[in-house]
Amino acid sequence: MAVNPNPRKTDPDGSRSFELKAASFTLPIIRLLDANVEAVAARLGAKVEKAPDFFRNTPVVIDLSDLPSGVGAIEFPLLVGLLRGYGMIPFGVRGGNREQNAAAEALELAVLRESYVRRGKSANETSTKEIDMEVSPTPPREAASSTPAPPARRPGQGFMLINRPVRSGQRVYASGGDLSIVAAVSSGAELMADGNIHVYGPLRGRALAGMNGNLEARIFCQDLQAELVSIAGHYRVSEGIPTELRGVPVQIFLDQKILRIEKL
Amino acid sequence: MARIIVITSGKGGVGKTTTSAALAMGLAQRGKRTVVIDFDVGLRNLDLIMGCERRVVYDFINVINGEANLNQALIRDKRCDNLYVLPASQTRDKDALTKEGVEQVLVELSHNHDFIVCDSPAGIEHGATMAMYFADDAIVVTNPEVSSVRDSDRMLGILSSRSRRAENNEEPIREYLLLTRYDPLRVVNGEMLSVEDVQEILSLKLLGVVPESKAVLTSSNSGIPVILDRESDAGQAYSDMVSRYLGDEVPHRFLHPEKKGFLSRLFRG
């Protein structure tokens, strides 16, 4: 059945003011091998002198994973100032420990999670589509203060299957494929997939399919009680889901970029 | 080797310490050599509930820091020879719990005990994660209300991803649900979540339902684990819980209003 495409009572023009999408970028990484900012400054200066235009207005990520363990705090204010001075736009860190991440966050640098690191590495190794999956126990804001969990499973196929309940606060991301859950998804849990999402238990959390912008992705579930559903950034919150579609098997898809929820 | 049981919830005030004391006492009464550890460093309560607060000399943190040995810190229960209490420190904070220190104490206790009951502090921070990290079994204590259920759900997520068993890819922690402060009358009136409601959300094996009971407060205040009050409904419910934990099939009790009042009889038709 057709569903009111614009359930929220905003003016039609306002509702088209932006789209939320996911995209990936290749960015230069400053891999720190020494915590001493002065030493970094000296070497960086020489490097930038050779190709000053290359670095102008370039966003960069600071990689801390190769720092020798046991080094003290990184002087982020100095380092960020240094990079900005050369025209770069440092916007995030990765691979840091808890203290380093906290210091980076204090400077409003993004703390990139392990999944980004792994995806970056796998992209370097092979140019074919590499599947990267992880179950992270913490949402990204919390990831800064706790170590990310290791990936739950890595079957090396284009999909991901989970047969335990996905609990409040857990996030599951099937990168490059479908995500199937043969259990309940609690309120406060978050499912993400580049492909379709299938849930064979009550779906009470959030489900975001087509994370890489795939407009063809769909969400299938046995019992829709979701807080939020989204296909390629076109989303709807619980409030906008008609009551007759709650608690029944449905599929959710995009029709002319309008999110439709249909009984199965 | 001892089996390590964590009593956890996420939310505070749901009955973790009461449950820890009851479970430890129940296991000990059935001949299991049991030790119950208070992980709530800085806000210790277990010693009060167990009625041994005047015998605390050394504590868990002293043992971790090597300032005392285990035998100096363990307090033998006066009512049951099989039961020992390891109190928390009241003067330190939870950062004093190191993973290595906790592991060392648990390994040492494992040698001559059957069960180690870890009373977790509220929250999902360091103290709570230390209490659950080494667990084999987890009893998630939940009240029949939405915030407690959500916090329990969050805790279950953490149990399945941030414990030693999860990190080493071993068999996952066995998780049990214990519903406490259950008031069947309010459930009938639709004021409280029912057992079925909670189980539907948490999809977990139900270890027991402990009814809301005045006996719990009375026992706590007098330092007697409520399981010793055999007359009380809460005491009997905890006793059933211990049996179920040890593998006995015991039917659930106290799920429905006991005295059929005029109104409830009317509504039940």
Side-chain angles (χ1 to χ4, degrees):
Chain A
M1 62 166 283
V3 172
N4 178 4
N6 188 17
R8 318 181 90 197
K9 291 182 190 99
T10 52
D11 74 304
D13 297 323
S15 69
R16 296 289 301 157
S17 62
F18 72 91
E19 287 182 345
L20 192 63
K21 288 196 169 177
S24 47
F25 301 91
T26 307
L27 295 173
I29 283 166
I30 307 272
R31 180 169 288 162
L32 287 191
L33 306 171
D34 190 344
N36 182 358
V37 175
E38 269 150 311
V40 174
R43 252 170 290 163
L44 196 65
K47 198 117 197 153
V48 174
E49 228 70 279
K50 287 182 196 162
D53 284 342
F54 182 77
F55 293 100
R56 192 158 295 144
N57 292 334
T58 305
V60 293
V61 176
I62 303 165
D63 188 334
L64 306 168
S65 52
D66 284 338
L67 276 176
S69 58
V71 295
I74 312 282
E75 293 192 65
F76 279 115
L78 269 179
L79 183 62
V80 168
L82 178 74
L83 295 174
R84 288 202 178 124
Y86 286 120
M88 291 176 240
I89 307 168
F91 79 94
V93 300
R94 73 174 197 187
N97 62 27
R98 187 183 294 200
E99 286 80 3
Q100 289 163 346
N101 287 346
E105 277 210 326
L107 276 177
E108 301 200 327
L109 289 174
V111 175
L112 302 178
R113 291 183 304 127
E114 288 298 309
S115 59
Y116 296 104
V117 179
R118 271 198 300 277
R119 198 183 309 159
K121 279 181 184 160
S122 61
N124 291 341
E125 286 156 10
T126 57
S127 58
T128 55
K129 202 161 75 171
E130 180 87 12
I131 310 305
D132 188 332
M133 297 147 193
E134 83 158 7
V135 173
S136 160
T138 49
R141 291 297 305 169
E142 277 172 58
S145 58
S146 58
T147 48
R153 64 211 89 197
R154 196 185 272 267
Q157 295 158 342
F159 68 91
M160 185 176 184
L161 173 70
I162 292 193
N163 45 22
R164 303 195 63 194
V166 185
R167 303 291 184 182
S168 185
Q170 287 185 312
R171 316 174 90 212
V172 182
Y173 180 27
S175 160
D178 283 14
L179 173 61
S180 302
I181 314 274
V182 196
V185 178
S186 294
S187 119
E190 203 166 285
L191 307 179
M192 291 172 289
D194 288 340
N196 305 319
I197 294 178
H198 310 260
V199 183
Y200 298 96
L203 168 59
R204 300 193 178 93
R206 301 168 158 226
L208 300 92
M211 285 291 283
N212 55 2
N214 180 3
L215 301 171
E216 300 300 312
R218 293 186 176 208
I219 299 169
F220 303 90
C221 65
Q222 287 291 316
D223 180 355
L224 177 68
Q225 303 178 32
E227 294 168 338
L228 180 146
V229 289
S230 158
I231 310 270
H234 299 70
Y235 74 94
R236 193 176 298 178
V237 291
S238 173
E239 229 178 29
I241 300 174
T243 38
E244 67 267 25
L245 294 172
R246 312 199 117 251
V248 296
V250 297
Q251 65 165 329
I252 301 163
F253 58 97
L254 284 183
D255 179 11
Q256 312 286 333
K257 295 203 173 174
I258 290 165
L259 195 78
R260 300 263 300 254
I261 306 177
E262 217 167 67
K263 270 187 197 164
L264 280 176
Chain B
M1 282 297 280
R3 195 125 186 117
I4 301 172
I5 313 164
V6 62
I7 312 296
T8 187
S9 71
K11 195 172 182 296
V14 295
K16 284 183 294 300
T17 302
T18 304
T19 302
S20 300
L23 174 68
M25 180 60 83
L27 289 169
Q29 282 181 322
R30 283 157 217 235
K32 312 289 183 194
R33 296 165 303 167
T34 307
V35 57
V36 54
I37 307 177
D38 191 350
F39 273 80
D40 206 348
V41 178
L43 286 169
R44 81 167 182 226
N45 283 144
L46 183 69
D47 53 328
L48 289 169
I49 310 292
M50 294 297 296
C52 64
E53 72 277 10
R54 295 193 217 170
R55 294 195 287 145
V56 177
V57 184
Y58 294 109
D59 57 53
F60 193 16
I61 302 300
N62 291 138
V63 179
I64 286 178
N65 292 344
E67 295 150 5
N69 64 39
L70 253 181
N71 288 333
Q72 290 173 299
L74 284 177
I75 304 170
R76 182 191 284 254
D77 191 87
K78 283 186 171 167
R79 296 152 294 210
C80 189
D81 283 349
N82 290 319
L83 180 59
Y84 288 88
V85 181
L86 183 54
S89 170
Q90 184 70 345
T91 52
R92 311 290 183 86
D93 62 39
K94 292 179 176 63
D95 293 334
L97 292 168
T98 60
K99 199 178 270 185
E100 296 73 27
V102 172
E103 182 172 25
Q104 208 181 336
V105 171
L106 291 177
V107 166
E108 208 176 327
L109 287 170
S110 279
H111 294 316
N112 41 14
H113 290 91
D114 301 312
F115 290 101
I116 301 172
V117 179
C118 301
D119 180 21
S120 169
I124 55 172
E125 283 81 30
H126 185 69
T129 47
M130 278 300 104
M132 53 134 254
Y133 185 76
F134 296 99
D136 301 307
D137 299 331
I139 298 178
V140 180
V141 183
T142 306
N143 289 169
E145 47 109 5
V146 283
S147 57
S148 174
V149 172
R150 173 179 283 185
D151 290 359
S152 295
D153 195 49
R154 179 90 172 89
M155 202 65 215
L156 284 160
I158 294 171
L159 279 167
S160 63
S161 58
R162 275 196 263 168
S163 64
R164 178 174 62 174
R165 280 170 175 268
E167 286 180 7
N168 296 347
N169 264 327
E170 293 168 31
E171 187 192 332
I173 295 178
R174 272 194 265 164
E175 299 156 344
Y176 301 97
L177 171 67
L178 180 73
L179 213 50
T180 55
R181 309 198 66 167
Y182 195 73
D183 188 338
L185 207 58
R186 298 191 66 186
V187 172
V188 169
N189 295 339
E191 298 166 5
M192 197 179 252
L193 295 178
S194 70
V195 181
E196 293 77 23
D197 293 338
V198 178
Q199 268 207 288
E200 203 205 313
I201 298 171
L202 295 179
S203 41
L204 216 57
K205 184 178 161 43
L206 183 66
L207 197 60
V209 177
V210 180
E212 173 80 66
S213 168
K214 286 180 180 167
V216 173
L217 187 65
T218 320
S219 300
S220 296
N221 283 341
S222 45
I224 301 163
V226 70
I227 198 169
L228 294 177
D229 184 353
R230 292 178 196 284
E231 302 298 310
S232 71
D233 44 3
Q236 292 171 20
Y238 272 120
S239 188
D240 288 358
M241 173 197 80
V242 175
S243 302
R244 277 187 214 107
Y245 175 75
L246 291 173
D248 296 345
E249 288 289 329
V250 184
H252 288 282
R253 294 194 271 171
F254 315 111
L255 299 186
H256 307 290
E258 205 174 283
K259 287 174 208 147
K260 276 195 185 171
F262 168 69
L263 279 177
S264 60
R265 210 179 300 159
L266 198 71
F267 285 126
R268 287 181 142 216

